[in-house]
Amino acid sequence: MSTDKHYQGLINKYREYLPVSDKTPVVTLNEGNTPLIKADNLAKKIGLDAEIYLKFEGSNPTGSFKDRGMTMAVSKAKEEGSNAIICASTGNTSAAAAAYGAKAGMKTFVLIPDGYIALGKLSQAMMYGANIIAINGNFDEALERVIDISKNYPITMVNSLNPYRIEGQKSGAFEIIEALGDAPDYHFIPVGNAGNITAYFKGYEEWLAINKSTHLPKMMGFEAEGAAAIVRGERIMHPETLATAIRIGNPASWEKAERARDLSGGVIDSVTDDEIVEAYKMIASTEGILCEPASAASVAGLIKSNKTKAVKEGSKIVCILTGNGLKDPDNAIKYALADVKKTSADINDILRAMNI
Ligand code: F0G
């Protein structure tokens, strides 16, 4: 282990809670340790007298929570002697796999649904040097192909079906418990392939078992309405939502998400695209945090739950903001509806435009 004092990523920090040994070659970009930001303006805006915290996973090195799982998955792949990784992705997993693959010196293959991933994510996979395969099909089909390929070729699958992904991602729950001194009362989270809700719940369960917390939070998972397979209880063949990150019709960790819901007394519900956009804009304008549309499903879920009085006043609430809004500038510009005033460089013109 290094004697450096500065933060060196979640494997070094939480080593004793992870399936690693001194022999594991740690591939890290110093992921994790993301800010938990108190959101009093948001609480006021939605009329809820409670402590709301936003965990901004967009501050991870590749701009999403996927880095937490990828540091584990790639380190373990390397330990096992693999020299190639593959994933299906709506964008963020591909960016993370490509970055950690580059850091590890491994060949990286990413399968993406052609035309349905945000521009920033595609540019990341390109720059990190992944082999990008854009299929004429959706995420669910891409994942099926990746499972097939990883069974038949010596290429390690790094989607969240890889258990090391979940191990890494559970560290988010540890950070929340450390920051708040206990688990929150409610944990709001977007649900796509359902790996992240599974991972957080595992983290909360493990730390409850060793008395680092006193209770489990109610796990409040939200799918996009056009991709709400778990809510509807059936696979959706053609999922649709503007939140492309969670445009998934057959979540791989479906049963585990239901288990988290049931054991914690939580819910898995859906939010509409309009509700997602409302939350997306509100988080930016009230709290100064730009997350991506899919991430805003957590806060959209909180707004919806508050309307039906499903959250108790005075409680502690954490909403996970899973990815950075800079990944998706097209949607930011489209929904901000900002009035950009153009003027000459003359100060009088500028002052007129400022309207002061
Ligand atoms: N939020 C963002 C920004 C995501 O990228 C994803 C999933 C989720 C939420 C949902 O998390 O799948 O664990 O339930 N993105 C995957 C990807 C599917 O390929 O990047 P989940």
Side-chain angles (χ1 to χ4, degrees):
M1 211 191 306
S2 163
T3 52
D4 263 356
K5 290 277 188 292
H6 79 283
Y7 180 81
Q8 289 174 84
L10 61 89
I11 295 181
N12 276 312
K13 170 117 196 248
Y14 296 113
R15 176 172 281 284
E16 65 194 287
Y17 309 107
L18 295 169
V20 292
S21 73
D22 291 348
K23 290 188 197 68
T24 310
V26 177
V27 181
T28 181
L29 295 168
N30 295 11
E31 59 295 308
N33 195 23
T34 57
L36 188 69
I37 303 159
K38 191 136 185 277
D40 290 340
N41 298 335
L42 182 71
K44 204 165 160 201
K45 178 91 182 176
I46 69 174
L48 176 59
D49 186 12
E51 277 180 45
I52 302 176
Y53 296 88
L54 304 175
K55 186 144 178 78
F56 189 42
E57 290 291 284
S59 73
N60 274 300
T62 78
S64 86
F65 70 95
K66 305 288 181 178
D67 296 348
R68 293 183 184 276
M70 211 53 77
T71 184
M72 274 299 297
V74 173
S75 298
K76 293 302 284 189
K78 207 171 163 66
E79 181 176 359
E80 288 157 11
S82 172
N83 47 35
I85 57 176
I86 187 167
C87 66
S89 182
T90 56
N92 282 324
T93 301
S94 64
Y100 286 80
K103 181 82 172 173
M106 294 167 88
K107 196 161 185 164
T108 304
F109 297 94
V110 304
L111 264 68
I112 55 172
D114 195 16
Y116 287 92
I117 89 166
L119 201 63
K121 303 175 188 179
L122 184 60
S123 66
Q124 286 180 287
M126 289 173 168
M127 281 298 289
Y128 299 135
N131 296 277
I132 304 167
I133 297 140
I135 69 160
N136 181 16
N138 59 33
F139 170 84
D140 305 296
E141 294 165 295
L143 182 58
E144 284 164 12
R145 303 302 170 267
V146 161
I147 292 169
D148 248 18
I149 294 166
S150 66
K151 273 189 191 139
N152 293 309
Y153 296 86
I155 308 176
T156 307
M157 189 205 18
V158 294
N159 279 103
S160 56
L161 286 166
N162 176 325
Y164 297 121
R165 280 278 312 279
I166 303 295
E167 289 296 318
Q169 284 172 218
K170 76 184 182 189
S171 62
F174 299 165
E175 290 178 13
I176 291 170
I177 292 170
E178 281 179 338
L180 298 179
D182 201 345
D185 300 307
Y186 300 89
H187 178 102
F188 283 83
I189 187 165
V191 174
N193 212 22
N196 211 24
I197 189 170
T198 300
Y200 268 98
F201 192 59
K202 186 166 201 282
Y204 285 126
E205 279 190 306
E206 287 184 8
W207 271 25
L208 176 64
I210 55 170
N211 298 319
K212 285 195 167 259
S213 61
T214 63
H215 62 276
L216 294 171
K218 290 186 190 306
M219 300 300 290
M220 312 290 280
F222 287 83
E223 300 182 291
E225 189 177 78
I230 301 175
V231 174
R232 284 168 48 179
E234 62 185 11
R235 176 178 182 163
I236 293 168
M237 295 311 291
H238 302 288
E240 277 310 336
T241 168
L242 74 92
T244 51
I246 53 173
R247 186 176 169 271
I248 294 172
N250 188 25
S253 299
W254 188 319
E255 287 82 18
K256 289 182 177 141
E258 290 182 330
R259 178 181 174 276
R261 173 195 66 195
D262 297 342
L263 291 182
S264 73
V267 301
I268 294 183
D269 196 357
S270 63
V271 283
T272 65
D273 278 6
D274 285 350
E275 288 169 329
I276 287 173
V277 169
E278 183 197 12
Y280 172 52
K281 294 173 69 168
M282 198 187 289
I283 298 160
S285 63
T286 64
E287 295 294 340
I289 302 169
L290 180 58
C291 65
E292 58 176 289
S295 306
S298 59
V299 171
L302 172 60
I303 295 171
K304 183 174 179 182
S305 305
N306 185 41
K307 282 181 184 154
T308 60
K309 303 276 176 228
V311 281
K312 284 208 187 76
E313 295 221 324
S315 51
K316 275 192 188 159
I317 299 165
V318 171
C319 297
I320 306 298
L321 299 181
T322 46
N324 197 310
L326 293 174
K327 286 171 173 275
D328 194 354
D330 294 321
N331 273 321
I333 290 169
K334 180 169 171 193
Y335 291 107
L337 300 173
D339 176 22
V340 180
K341 301 184 184 95
K342 300 202 180 190
T343 78
S344 76
D346 182 281
I347 184 129
N348 293 312
D349 277 352
I350 293 168
L351 287 169
R352 244 193 312 279
M354 287 168 73
N355 203 13
I356 49 174

